[in-house]
Amino acid sequence: SGCGKTTMLRCLAGLETPESGFISIAGKVVFDSAKGINLNPEERGLGVVFQSYAVWYQYCPASAWTALLLPD
């Protein structure tokens, strides 16, 4: 809906850098523009699973129809 959900998650993960403010995860500051803190993604202790039909091909409508019409 364009309200910034993906941008927020990308900032939390360290894949994008906010213009200002701070981000803390479980009490650990991972970004603070005033103090110059910006931890790398691998230092944040988070995992990201990207939502893509290349990964979840079974949920792609075209793949579902192919499975129905051309069974093994």
Side-chain angles (χ1 to χ4, degrees), residues 38-53:
N38 189 12
L39 298 183
N40 292 324
E42 60 271 15
E43 298 173 304
R44 295 180 181 222
L46 293 177
V48 177
V49 177
F50 296 98
Q51 185 175 346
S52 167
Y53 289 122

Side-chain angles (χ1 to χ4, degrees), residues 2 10 24 28-29 39 41 44 48-49 55 58 60:
R10 291 179 60 82
S24 65
K28 178 181 179 182
V29 176
L39 298 183
R44 295 180 181 222
V48 177
V49 177
V55 176
Q58 64 269 30
C60 177

Side-chain angles (χ1 to χ4, degrees), residues 4-70:
K5 297 180 297 287
T6 299
T7 301
M8 181 191 66
L9 292 173
R10 291 179 60 82
C11 288
L12 285 170
L15 303 175
E16 287 191 29
T17 303
E19 292 179 12
S20 62
F22 74 94
I23 299 171
S24 65
I25 301 171
K28 178 181 179 182
V29 176
V30 296
F31 175 81
D32 189 330
S33 61
K35 295 181 182 178
I37 299 169
N38 189 12
L39 298 183
N40 292 324
E42 60 271 15
E43 298 173 304
R44 295 180 181 222
L46 293 177
V48 177
V49 177
F50 296 98
Q51 185 175 346
S52 167
Y53 289 122
V55 176
W56 308 108
Y57 67 90
Q58 64 269 30
Y59 296 112
C60 177
S63 296
W65 279 108
T66 302
L68 287 172
L69 298 174
L70 302 171

